[in-house]
Amino acid sequence: MDIQEYIESGILETYVLGSASEAEARELLYFKKKYPQVQTALHELENDLEFIAEQMAITPPPGTWSKIEASINELTTVPEYEPLRLKEPGSKNGYDFKTANRDYIEVAESQSTHMTIHKSWKWVFAAVFVLGKIFLACAIYFYLENRQAQQQIQELKTEFRQNHPH
């Protein structure tokens, strides 16, 4: 095998860009140890790609690093919650699920701001849902009762007309 032909085959570029298969990568690493030309060509290719990347790099706007750092600090300084603790044996209901900040649920939004929702709202939503179902059932019941009463009135009118002609 001609080593120069191997270098020019494109396998080095494939390896450096990370798209080489495992077999190709093993073969290249073997040739790199055995042939100094492969090692030199690989080193030059890596340097060339690094130089191109530096030349094409776009400088981020000023203040980007401070925004990233502030976001990371905000994420890492979220208050810690106390773990759930069991009450002592023989207590009233057996469990005490109180924690330091259990009154609100934190909901993170895409711009790393936080929105808090009071937990009592879930009971309000549940109550509205249940009441809605009760009102719906009552409305259906009274509609059917009204329809039945209308039919009975119609039957009585028909019977009355048959028994009392003018």
Side-chain angles (χ1 to χ4, degrees), residues 7-8 19 24 35 114 119:
I7 290 171
E8 293 172 0
S19 59
E24 291 172 332
Y35 300 103
H114 296 296
K119 283 188 175 182

Side-chain angles (χ1 to χ4, degrees), residues 137-157:
C138 289
I140 292 171
Y141 171 76
F142 285 118
Y143 171 75
L144 294 174
E145 286 291 319
N146 183 30
R147 203 165 110 193
Q148 186 179 5
Q150 292 292 334
Q151 286 176 350
Q152 288 176 347
I153 290 172
Q154 204 63 313
E155 289 172 9
L156 287 173
K157 283 182 181 179

Side-chain angles (χ1 to χ4, degrees), residues 119-134:
K119 283 188 175 182
S120 64
W121 278 103
K122 72 178 178 180
W123 297 110
V124 171
F125 291 135
V128 167
F129 179 77
V130 170
L131 287 174
K133 296 298 180 185
I134 291 170

Side-chain angles (χ1 to χ4, degrees), residues 24 34 57 60 64-65 76 78 92 96-97 109 120 152 154:
E24 291 172 332
K34 189 171 181 179
T64 302
W65 178 250
T76 58
V78 173
K92 194 174 186 180
D96 180 14
F97 291 107
E109 292 182 349
S120 64
Q152 288 176 347
Q154 204 63 313

Side-chain angles (χ1 to χ4, degrees), residues 3 7 31-42:
I3 204 64
I7 290 171
F31 284 137
K32 178 181 166 187
K33 288 180 184 176
K34 189 171 181 179
Y35 300 103
Q37 303 98 311
V38 174
Q39 183 173 2
T40 305
L42 187 61

